[in-house]
Amino acid sequence: MTEQRKGKDVPERVVIIGSGPAGWSAAIYAARANLEPLVFEGTFHPDMVPLGQLAFTTEVENYPGFPAGDVRSFTESAVDKNLQYILQPPPEEETRDGRPHYAVMGTELVLLMKQQAINFGTRVISEDIIDVDFANRPLKVIPGNGDPVETQTAIIATGARANYLGLDSEEKYKNKGVSACAVCDGALPLFKGKPLAVVGGGDSAVEEATYLANLKDAATIYLIHRRDELRASKIMQQRALDHPNIEPVWNSVVDEVLGDEKLVNGLRLKSTVDDSTRDLEVGGMFVAIGHTPNTKFLDGKLDMNDKGYLRWTKAFRTNTSAEGVFAAGDVADDYYRQAITSAGTGCMAALDAERFLAEQS
Ligand code: NAP
């Protein structure tokens, strides 16, 4: 735990709750503006950890600035020959298919963001915030363990957690063929050319199935749904159902994820109509049955939509329903949910907080 801001009776200027890409990006910007942000990074829970969803991901290949593959040739080709002296030596490279390969790992990426924020003077407390008072000024955030902290502004960046089916075998094969994000993980070599399953019937499931089906070398993508009708919007479901690589599997739930201890190699499906079971050969399972935003501690304190996501109250701004409180990342976004969009709104929230403070002084 780091020390409080100097001068005990002075409220913090910016408190950031959450430690994924949104939280650290907000911290980098707030710290660079000399606001000495204080981040509550959270503690470990079974489905929620400090550093957010990225900490559950392996290689990240779509975050700009972190190309995967032969990093040395990539940088050499991207940077003018005369400027190559400014490049750091590339990180230690692995070999994949006989070629050098390195991709930044999810945890590594977000730890780099954290370090970047700390380098500019961000202070970090490893506690959950369990309650807040946003009705009075200064604002107050209440940690699970420790004294309440007063602050002039707060940035909520607690993210959303992917819902999983809750099977032991699913837990066992996370990062070994089980994922909750096809856009993040679907193009990894682990899944290349293999039949894959997407579980769910909403827009996310059909979008993820379509994404996987359009990848180079895609094999059959099974769309496994517990009913015989999709919940997804008509246009998106038609696109998926008309796709030659997508095969719907109706009235079925996953009973067990099968594997050889190292990787997924199949699913045991159970019928929702007659309880019969059958095995399906797949090299991966993408769970797309919705997300749960981490907003329970804000119940009744900030406006949320019917699914518990925080509402941004001004177009193209990160304001919430409480003055001086801003929201960034997946906690307010059930649509894009990417590390890069979270980082972007984290930056916006810090700039909004900075301007709010400037207007108050
Ligand atoms: P969703 O609409 O809540 O759909 C969740 C799906 O998972 C439903 O089909 C549900 O089945 C199924 N499901 C839930 N729990 C399950 C379980 N335990 N076992 C098996 N299946 C289960 O969630 P979403 O698809 O993530 O979409 C969230 C929001 O984002 C929606 O408003 C959506 O329109 C939006 N979105 C939009 C786009 C787009 O427009 N491009 C893309 C993605 C998401 P039932 O249908 O039987 O309930």
Side-chain angles (χ1 to χ4, degrees):
M1 195 183 275
T2 55
E3 82 281 9
Q4 292 286 115
R5 197 165 153 242
K6 307 215 168 31
K8 274 216 157 88
D9 298 330
V10 185
E12 297 289 338
R13 279 173 289 189
V14 182
V15 161
I16 297 166
I17 311 173
S19 55
W24 297 123
S25 302
I28 291 165
Y29 272 76
R32 295 251 302 153
N34 285 334
L35 296 173
E36 301 173 281
L38 175 64
V39 173
F40 282 91
E41 68 171 352
T43 58
F44 285 85
H45 301 268
D47 52 1
M48 207 167 48
V49 295
L51 311 182
Q53 291 289 297
L54 263 190
F56 293 115
T57 307
T58 53
E59 289 108 322
V60 179
E61 299 185 322
N62 55 5
Y63 199 89
F66 292 85
D70 180 348
V71 177
R72 191 184 301 269
S73 345
F74 185 92
T75 43
E76 280 172 7
S77 68
V79 177
D80 189 283
K81 245 195 171 100
N82 298 327
L83 288 176
Q84 289 193 3
Y85 67 91
I86 62 169
L87 299 173
Q88 296 293 315
E92 202 175 308
E93 288 166 353
E94 278 177 25
T95 306
R96 191 172 278 169
D97 300 333
R99 287 169 53 76
H101 182 94
Y102 177 82
V104 71
M105 304 298 276
T107 313
E108 185 185 0
L109 178 59
V110 76
L111 279 171
L112 286 169
M113 296 180 190
K114 175 177 176 177
Q115 190 58 52
Q116 196 172 353
I118 289 172
N119 289 352
F120 290 122
T122 298
R123 292 155 303 133
V124 184
I125 294 182
S126 304
E127 278 298 337
D128 295 320
I129 294 301
I130 55 164
D131 200 2
V132 296
D133 177 0
F134 290 157
N136 299 293
R137 302 211 74 84
L139 309 167
K140 213 178 272 175
V141 300
I142 297 136
N145 195 356
D147 295 331
V149 172
E150 292 187 338
T151 181
Q152 289 171 270
T153 68
I155 295 175
I156 315 291
T158 45
R161 54 189 189 277
N163 297 337
Y164 281 90
L165 301 168
L167 303 168
D168 290 344
S169 53
E170 171 190 56
E171 189 62 36
K172 176 172 162 184
Y173 285 106
K174 274 185 188 165
N175 288 332
K176 297 173 184 170
V178 169
S179 162
C181 182
V183 179
C184 322
D185 298 336
L188 293 176
L190 158 71
F191 298 112
K192 199 171 172 186
K194 294 180 183 170
L196 302 170
V198 175
V199 182
D203 280 327
S204 294
V206 297
E207 191 171 64
E208 303 230 326
T210 309
Y211 174 84
L212 293 171
N214 283 334
L215 289 177
K216 194 166 164 275
D217 301 319
T220 304
I221 309 299
Y222 298 101
L223 182 58
I224 299 169
H225 187 37
R226 60 186 177 184
R227 297 185 288 132
D228 63 357
E229 191 187 13
L230 296 170
R231 173 183 295 278
S233 56
K234 290 281 174 268
I235 186 160
M236 286 180 64
Q237 54 172 288
Q238 211 48 53
R239 198 173 300 147
L241 295 174
D242 288 348
H243 200 294
N245 291 352
I246 297 178
E247 191 176 309
V249 180
W250 302 117
N251 299 316
S252 299
V253 288
V254 176
D255 203 31
E256 192 179 344
V257 180
L258 309 172
D260 62 3
E261 297 301 313
K262 285 192 194 138
L263 291 176
V264 169
N265 59 20
L267 298 178
R268 180 149 304 141
L269 301 182
K270 193 163 131 190
S271 162
T272 52
V273 180
D274 58 14
D275 268 359
S276 61
T277 60
R278 71 167 172 125
D279 290 355
L280 185 69
E281 198 181 311
V282 292
M285 172 176 88
F286 292 87
V287 186
I289 59 171
H291 285 72
T292 303
N294 300 313
T295 51
K296 194 137 192 40
F297 71 107
L298 297 168
D299 265 355
K301 314 283 170 90
L302 291 177
D303 275 5
M304 301 175 191
N305 70 13
D306 55 355
K307 291 181 186 138
Y309 287 86
L310 296 183
R311 274 190 211 285
W312 280 314
T313 52
K314 286 188 186 173
F316 303 109
R317 299 286 181 272
T318 61
N319 302 61
T320 67
S321 55
E323 208 185 25
V325 181
F326 305 90
D330 292 7
V331 75
D333 170 21
D334 66 357
Y335 190 80
Y336 295 107
R337 295 193 301 246
Q338 300 299 303
I340 184 65
T341 50
S342 292
T345 52
C347 158
M348 289 162 68
L351 295 177
D352 288 339
E354 189 185 345
R355 283 173 197 160
F356 175 85
L357 288 167
E359 281 163 16
Q360 304 286 302
S361 58

